[in-house]
Amino acid sequence: MIDLRSDTVTKPTPAMRAAMAAAEVDDDVIDVDPTVDRLQRTTAELLGKEAALFMPSGTMTNQIAVRVHCKPGDELLCEAECHIFHYEQGAFAQLSGVVARTLSGEHGLLRPDQFVDQIRPDDVHQVRTRLVCLENTHNRGAGRVQPYAAVEKICRWAHEHGLRTHLDGARLFNAVVASGVAADRWAAHFDTVSVCYSKGLGAPVGSALAGPRELIAEARRHRKLFGGGMRQAGIIAAGALHALQYHRERLADDHANAQVLADAVRSAAGLTLSPDTVDTNMIIFTVDPALGTASQFTATLKNHGVWMLPTSPTRVRAVTHLDVSREQTRAAAAIIRQVADELASGTIAADRKEPT
Ligand code: TLP
C-alpha cells in the first residue's frame, strides 16, 4: 500500500529508533529532561526565539498559544480553513473561552487588505480582538506557502494595532525549503510559533511552541493544566532532534514527488488539481461527480494500492513524505491515471462501500 493520506503516517527510521533508544532521560515535570531540554534549545535557536516548549501535539501547541495570548471573551482572527479553526474542535472556545472571526483566503492565503476594519471597537457589547493566527504552509490550501511580504505586512499591521500574532508552523520547514527563507526570518514576525516534528520531518511524536521566555514559562503551566506534562519524554524528543538534524533538507524530495503526482492528476480524466500549482508536499484535487464522490474515488484507489484522504465530498488530498520513494510515487501516479480513466470510461465501477 502506498500511503499518501498524510505526512503524519511515517514510521521512525532505524537510525531514529537507535537515537531514541540511546536517549538520556529524566523527569521533565518535576525537573528537566536533558534531551527535551536540548530539543527545546535547538528549536528556539532555529526559530530565533528566546525559548521553546516540547508538547505532545500541534493541536496542543496551537491551543496553548491561544491560551497564553487571550483571555475569555477575546477574539482571534484567522483564515476560514485553517487548522486551528477547522480541525481542532473549536478548542479555543471549549478550552479558553475565546471566539474566532474568520477571513476567507484563496487556498489559505490572506491578503493584508482583508484585515482592514477587522478590529472591534472597545465597546461593552463586543468581544475584544486580541490575536491573529496564520498557517504556513497551509494544510487545506494544499500545502501552499504564504507569500513572505504578505506575512510581514499582516503581522506588522497586527502589532501596530496592539494585537498578538501566532504562527501555526506545523509544516514551517516545508515552507523554508520551498521558499529559501530561513525559519527564523519567518518566525521573526510572530510572537509565538508552533512547529511539528511529527509531520514531514518524520518523528513519531511531538511539537514545540516557541516565543519569549515569559510567555513560554506561562505555556509550561498551561501544558500541565491541559494534561501535557510528560515525564521521561527524552525518548520521543530524541526522535524529534534526529528529525531536525537529518530530515529537513530532504523535504525537497517530497516536494519533487508531489509534482509527479500533480502531473498525473492534471492528465487524468475527471480530476482537477485545485489549486493548480503545487508549492510543497501536498496536492488537492476535485473529483468530477461522474466518477463518484471523493470517498468513493479514494476507496477505489485504495483497492488498487494507493491510499489518499477525502477532505470534502468532492475533494481529495495526497501528501508525500519520508516513507514514499520516487519509485512508489511514480507507481502511484500511474495508478491515479489508470483508475480515473477507467472510471471515466466505465471500464470499472466506483467502489460504493463506505471507506474504512
Ligand atoms: N494535521 C493533520 C490532520 O489533523 C488534518 C494532517 O494530516 O494534516 N496544524 C496543522 C497545519 C496541521 O496540519 C496539523 C495536523 C496540526 C496543526 C495538528 O497537529 P497534531 O496532529 O500533532 O495535533
Side-chain angles (χ1 to χ4, degrees), residues 5-8 56-62 82-84 87-88 135-140 168-171 194 196 198-199 206-207 282 309 317 319:
R5 286 172 301 162
S6 183
D7 47 10
T8 60
S57 71
T59 302
M60 188 178 276
T61 46
N62 280 336
C82 76
H83 200 279
I84 288 177
Y87 280 129
E88 298 181 12
E135 185 174 309
N136 198 19
T137 64
H138 196 289
N139 181 341
R140 287 182 65 83
D168 177 350
R171 296 185 179 83
S194 158
C196 293
S198 59
K199 309 288 177 304
S207 300
M282 286 189 194
L309 210 63
R317 181 185 84 165
V319 188

